[in-house]
Amino acid sequence: MQALPSTRTSSDLSSLPGPAFFIPRTQLTFPKKLFFCLAKLAESSKPGSHNFGVTPANSLLADKEEAKAVLTMFLKKRGFSEVIAARTMHKSALFVDHLVSRLHSVHKTQHPGGRELTTREIRDALYSYLETLYEEFGDILVDVVENFPNPPTEERSIENLSVSTVEGGPVSAPITTLNSQKLKALGRLTDDGPTGKLPLIIYLTELGMEHEVIKEVISKFPPFADYSLDEKVKPVVEFLLDLGVPKSDIPSILRKWPQLCGVSLSEKAIHSVTFLENLGVDKKQWAKVIYRFPRILSCTRLKLKSNLDCLYELGLSTEKQGKVLMRCPNILGYGVERLRATAEYFHSIGVDVGTLLHKCPHIFSLSIEANLKPVTEFFLERGFSIEEVAIMVSRFGNFYTLSLSKNIMPKWEFFLTMGYPKSDLVRYPQYFGCSLELRIKPRYAIMREIGVTMSLGRLISVSDGDLYEILKRKKEKHVG
């Protein structure tokens, strides 16, 4: 099952707010492009426009019930209460239609002969897709599902929630209840409450997690406070230690992805580790891999295989995949559609995608419109040919990660004063990765002062000691 396309950059993702239904007067700011993509995928889910082909009515009804069951089960496993899961399922008719429509669309592509999907295939496909969305949105997925395909309301506050009452008591106040649970959990971080600190809090403190960090984690993901210490948290911590993760790194890992403690070790994490080790991930590197991308342990085998198959199709051989995953495990969190769209862009400018994936896998997380195109167009506008840009990308694709206004443009302006031909930048685009003030300008000044010349690449790349030795020899030769 392919992942949902996303146009957000990594910085966009980190700026998303926490669960809207936990915090009073939380502002939700969803990029319009993202929900445009959701809406496009859900065109067949709009009332009166379902596009389920010739699917029999009974089969369609059964698929809808299966989708509801999978959605409910998924939310419960992610730590949401049964009340919240049931409420979300009942308020998400359009999203359920979208799940079924998407399922049939993929089924038609994969099985053109019309074979019916088994219950296991339906559940695996839908669960994998929901996991992809959860990786994208976290706990605000509930709002996304309930408001599909439109963005959630701009403001949701405890004060403006209407709660039905019977004989003076609330019939159902899941949001208020959840908010109360969050406040209660946060209140138990201190010794002021009647029950004192949670055993979980004591354990995390002993691990080295600071009080403010624990508060941040629970505020961002309240179900974490209800995780069983002996059945959830400790087994995960011990599992990480067995993989070689230093104890000092565990607080940072849990801070990045507290949902990790809700992952089934036997059904998911252990299988993910075994699967990736068979692919070539070095056992000694697991500590670094997990620290960089703890979500890797929550990926299903279906999700991992989907991304790895995509990487193989794009030219990254199986032999190289293990090494790439050790350097950039985040690539397994990229949507398949994003990978393919980015690969298509690089292919359009003449870059060998397989080689680029091996050398700079992290640039496949960048936005085409916000990051890639502006940099490419910058060089084209300054007289470089598309072929020259492709060579520069192949040699130093990392300049796409640099700020165009604060990094590339100032270095370009200084380059124009140095007297080098533009072809030197094609030969050595790493120039843009060097510090202008600490390396480029001082070295160029020394060269000018001595009165000799050397190529741009050599001037920037050699060590300080070698630079002086080379300039000295050139000076002596020049004088002689």
Side-chain angles (χ1 to χ4, degrees):
M1 186 64 68
Q2 297 176 1
L4 188 67
S6 173
T7 57
R8 290 200 299 268
T9 63
S10 57
S11 59
D12 292 329
L13 291 175
S14 64
S15 65
L16 279 176
F21 40 82
F22 291 134
I23 305 174
R25 304 193 66 80
T26 297
Q27 294 292 328
L28 295 179
T29 54
F30 288 83
K32 293 182 179 179
K33 288 184 178 180
L34 179 61
F35 273 85
F36 172 76
C37 293
L38 285 169
K40 290 292 288 183
L41 282 173
E43 284 179 353
S44 60
S45 301
K46 296 177 181 179
S49 63
H50 300 305
N51 184 22
F52 298 124
V54 293
T55 306
N58 290 341
S59 177
L60 179 60
L61 182 60
D63 288 348
K64 283 189 176 184
E65 292 303 314
E66 195 66 56
K68 290 179 181 179
V70 172
L71 177 59
T72 302
M73 175 182 66
F74 179 84
L75 293 175
K76 288 181 180 179
K77 283 195 172 185
R78 285 300 179 185
F80 295 99
S81 68
E82 190 165 341
V83 173
I84 296 299
R87 184 206 69 190
T88 301
M89 188 269 290
H90 287 298
K91 294 179 65 176
S92 56
L94 289 179
F95 184 77
V96 170
D97 285 344
H98 161 63
L99 289 178
V100 176
S101 178
R102 193 175 193 282
L103 182 68
H104 289 179
S105 176
V106 174
H107 167 53
K108 184 177 180 180
T109 302
Q110 294 180 347
H111 306 292
R115 178 178 70 80
E116 290 292 330
L117 288 174
T118 64
T119 299
R120 178 61 180 269
E121 286 176 328
I122 292 174
R123 292 189 176 186
D124 286 347
L126 294 181
Y127 203 89
S128 176
Y129 179 56
L130 289 171
E131 280 201 327
T132 299
L133 294 182
Y134 188 76
E135 290 174 8
E136 188 82 9
F137 294 104
D139 292 305
I140 58 172
L141 176 62
V142 169
D143 265 10
V144 173
V145 169
E146 291 182 1
N147 291 277
F148 187 87
N150 302 308
T153 55
E154 291 298 321
E155 183 179 90
R156 298 186 64 177
S157 63
I158 298 299
E159 291 83 355
N160 62 21
L161 288 173
S162 57
V163 180
S164 301
T165 60
V166 175
E167 296 180 351
V171 173
S172 175
I175 297 177
T176 303
T177 301
L178 281 173
N179 186 65
S180 175
Q181 291 173 350
K182 174 192 170 184
L183 294 176
K184 182 178 179 181
L186 291 176
R188 291 166 70 184
L189 290 175
T190 68
D191 289 319
D192 298 332
T195 58
K197 288 184 179 179
L198 291 166
L200 173 63
I201 306 304
I202 298 174
Y203 179 75
L204 294 175
T205 303
E206 292 174 349
L207 277 177
M209 187 176 285
E210 296 178 357
H211 179 88
E212 287 303 315
V213 175
I214 298 174
K215 183 177 180 180
E216 174 191 329
V217 170
I218 293 179
S219 180
K220 180 173 66 175
F221 185 61
F224 182 73
D226 295 323
Y227 280 157
S228 168
L229 176 59
D230 293 323
E231 296 179 7
K232 292 282 188 179
V233 181
K234 279 187 178 180
V236 168
V237 171
E238 291 169 1
F239 178 72
L240 295 177
L241 293 173
D242 289 341
L243 287 176
V245 176
K247 183 179 177 180
S248 58
D249 285 351
I250 291 179
S252 296
I253 291 173
L254 296 183
R255 183 180 188 177
K256 291 178 182 177
W257 189 241
Q259 292 91 331
L260 181 61
C261 291
V263 172
S264 169
L265 295 179
S266 60
E267 295 180 6
K268 190 172 296 184
I270 294 175
H271 287 294
S272 296
V273 169
T274 303
F275 179 75
L276 294 173
E277 283 182 355
N278 292 336
L279 193 69
V281 174
D282 189 346
K283 294 181 180 180
K284 298 178 181 178
Q285 299 296 320
W286 270 114
K288 293 181 180 179
V289 170
I290 295 171
Y291 184 82
R292 292 172 182 166
F293 188 58
R295 294 189 187 190
I296 196 170
L297 295 177
S298 67
C299 294
T300 63
R301 183 166 181 166
L302 184 63
K303 166 72 173 174
L304 296 175
K305 189 175 185 304
S306 175
N307 272 47
L308 292 171
D309 286 347
C310 177
L311 294 176
Y312 183 80
E313 292 170 8
L314 297 178
L316 187 65
S317 65
T318 304
E319 293 75 18
K320 294 179 179 179
Q321 286 180 0
K323 294 181 179 179
V324 168
L325 293 180
M326 286 187 285
R327 289 189 289 115
C328 183
N330 309 57
I331 200 167
L332 291 177
Y334 303 165
V336 169
E337 289 299 329
R338 169 184 284 187
L339 288 172
R340 287 177 175 158
T342 304
E344 179 59 31
Y345 175 76
F346 283 124
H347 180 73
S348 71
I349 64 176
V351 175
D352 185 315
V353 174
T355 300
L356 188 62
L357 269 171
H358 184 236
K359 294 176 65 176
C360 305
H362 51 280
I363 69 174
F364 281 75
S365 68
L366 301 176
S367 165
I368 295 175
E369 298 298 329
N371 301 103
L372 305 185
K373 283 186 177 181
V375 173
T376 299
E377 291 168 1
F378 174 85
F379 288 106
L380 293 177
E381 290 169 358
R382 279 149 186 81
F384 292 88
S385 66
I386 193 69
E387 291 79 14
E388 288 175 325
V389 173
I391 293 173
M392 294 169 71
V393 174
S394 299
R395 291 178 176 172
F396 187 65
N398 282 333
F399 60 55
Y400 281 114
T401 66
L402 304 175
S403 168
L404 185 58
S405 61
K406 297 179 181 180
N407 198 312
I408 294 178
M409 292 180 69
K411 290 174 184 175
W412 167 256
E413 294 298 329
F414 185 75
F415 172 80
L416 294 178
T417 70
M418 298 173 75
Y420 288 110
K422 290 189 298 184
S423 58
D424 272 22
L425 282 180
V426 178
R427 296 190 189 96
Y428 193 74
Q430 291 87 346
Y431 164 85
F432 290 101
C434 298
S435 170
L436 180 60
E437 300 299 330
L438 299 179
R439 193 174 188 88
I440 298 173
K441 285 184 177 181
R443 290 185 169 217
Y444 180 69
I446 292 172
M447 184 183 73
R448 288 294 301 272
E449 183 180 348
I450 293 177
V452 296
T453 60
M454 52 192 304
S455 68
L456 177 67
R458 203 172 188 193
L459 174 67
I460 302 301
S461 63
V462 298
S463 66
D464 289 339
D466 289 342
L467 175 66
Y468 289 110
E469 188 63 32
I470 292 170
L471 291 176
K472 180 181 177 181
R473 289 201 303 267
K474 280 182 170 288
K475 179 66 174 179
E476 291 173 351
K477 183 177 180 181
H478 179 70
V479 172

